Amino acid sequence: MKECKTNQERKKFTIQFYDKKWITFDLEKLKARLENARPLLEKILAIIDIRNVFTILDIGTGPGTIPIAIIEKYHSHHSYQIYGIDPSQISISVATKIIKNLGLEKKIIYKIGSFEEIPFPNNFFDLIVSNASFNLCTNKVKAINEISRVSKEAGQIIIVDCFKKREEHQCREESAELWSKCISGAITPEWLIKNANSKGLIFKYQEEITEIVRDLILNGKWNWKEFIDYDLEYHILKFMLDKLPIS
């Protein structure tokens, strides 16, 4: 495995890793991905309070799975605008092509960006959601600062990700592959809750959905055996911004 010694190396390799993953994606593959991930997506969508939500951000959007799932569930709701960001230009190009095929280019806008560099002004989003991306941040404190900055007062933040069970439950292998596969960068839910609270993101809800993810992997619907090999957990965490971020 390729060694991964610096944060810059981790970022570069991770983008290259997902470039190779998403470059072959098209509308039909996205539809299959939506269907395969349905049990997971339903859990995520169930805790969104869509009332008074007009601006939505999906961080680490990949081919655009979350934005399309939101529109499928809330298509008849009041007008809202979805934005998706990803550090991979290939991801953005693929996701943009897919929404054009669906006629949704006015409803969803994709941009280059990441947790650590969100390309939007302060107090912009009513809802921020992310699945399987926060663990890839090389500066997670900066990522929390950025979430707090772009969220509106009382905005919803939903982080869905893999987590390690205990702080000492550490992956000792610092390979680029294990970082990119969401193993080496995993934290504990307790770490995220503590650090989010310190930035005004008030913890509201937590649900462990490890068995759903394990079933998807064991049934061949998610190619991610490392999740099982390294005995990780999967959680949904919901926060709300308690106060306006400091500008």
Side-chain angles (χ1 to χ4, degrees):
M1 290 187 177
K2 177 181 173 59
E3 289 189 5
C4 190
K5 295 182 179 179
T6 69
N7 285 341
Q8 195 59 38
E9 287 175 334
R10 292 186 183 101
K11 290 178 181 179
K12 182 178 179 180
F13 188 91
T14 299
I15 291 173
Q16 293 172 342
F17 178 87
Y18 285 99
D19 281 349
K20 293 176 183 178
K21 181 174 182 177
W22 302 132
I23 196 169
T24 62
F25 254 66
D26 56 18
L27 179 56
E28 292 308 310
K29 287 187 177 181
L30 180 67
K31 288 179 178 178
R33 180 176 172 83
L34 283 165
E35 190 57 38
N36 286 342
R38 190 68 60 189
L40 173 62
L41 293 171
E42 287 178 353
K43 283 287 187 180
I44 297 171
L45 298 175
I47 65 168
I48 294 175
D49 182 357
I50 201 66
R51 296 171 297 175
N52 299 316
V53 168
F54 300 98
T55 49
I56 301 171
L57 176 64
D58 177 35
I59 306 178
T61 196
T65 309
I66 295 290
I68 300 299
I70 290 173
I71 286 179
E72 283 186 349
K73 184 174 179 64
Y74 299 113
H75 62 89
S76 61
H77 204 267
H78 63 254
S79 178
Y80 53 84
Q81 181 72 57
I82 304 178
Y83 299 86
I85 62 172
D86 200 284
S88 163
Q89 180 60 64
I90 287 177
S91 165
I92 296 302
S93 298
V94 168
T96 299
K97 184 176 180 180
I98 289 172
I99 60 169
K100 285 183 178 179
N101 289 337
L102 291 170
L104 295 172
E105 59 267 37
K106 292 183 178 180
K107 195 74 172 176
I108 307 172
I109 297 172
Y110 294 114
K111 290 186 175 185
I112 291 289
S114 67
F115 265 108
E116 293 126 314
E117 296 180 11
I118 301 177
F120 292 94
N122 296 356
N123 315 324
F124 193 79
F125 292 103
D126 301 297
L127 169 65
I128 298 172
V129 62
S130 181
N131 179 45
S133 293
F134 187 81
N135 72 86
L136 295 173
C137 298
T138 56
N139 188 334
K140 294 177 173 63
V141 171
K142 183 179 180 182
I144 294 170
N145 286 337
E146 278 288 88
I147 296 170
S148 178
R149 179 183 67 80
V150 301
S151 177
K152 291 181 182 178
E153 186 173 13
Q156 301 171 68
I157 298 95
I158 299 172
I159 306 297
V160 190
D161 220 321
C162 58
F163 293 87
K164 58 185 181 181
K165 296 179 179 179
R166 298 172 300 279
E167 194 60 45
E168 64 272 17
H169 185 191
Q170 179 65 39
C171 174
R172 300 299 180 185
E173 301 175 62
E174 281 296 319
S175 73
E177 287 89 345
L178 285 177
W179 186 276
S180 298
K181 291 182 178 180
C182 304
I183 303 301
S184 301
I187 55 175
T188 63
E190 292 77 16
W191 186 96
L192 180 55
I193 292 169
K194 177 182 176 181
N195 284 272
N197 282 348
S198 72
K199 301 300 179 180
L201 303 180
I202 305 305
F203 172 60
K204 293 292 184 179
Y205 176 84
Q206 179 178 1
E207 181 176 359
E208 183 181 349
I209 54 171
T210 302
E211 288 308 309
I212 289 176
V213 173
R214 287 179 63 91
D215 286 346
L216 292 175
I217 295 167
L218 294 173
N219 290 325
K221 295 182 177 182
W222 194 342
N223 182 21
W224 191 22
K225 69 181 184 63
E226 293 82 6
F227 176 82
I228 296 176
D229 292 344
Y230 286 88
D231 195 26
L232 296 178
E233 297 180 341
Y234 218 83
H235 291 257
I236 299 173
L237 296 173
K238 182 174 183 178
F239 305 86
M240 293 190 76
L241 186 66
D242 183 54
K243 56 187 176 182
L244 288 174
I246 298 173
S247 59

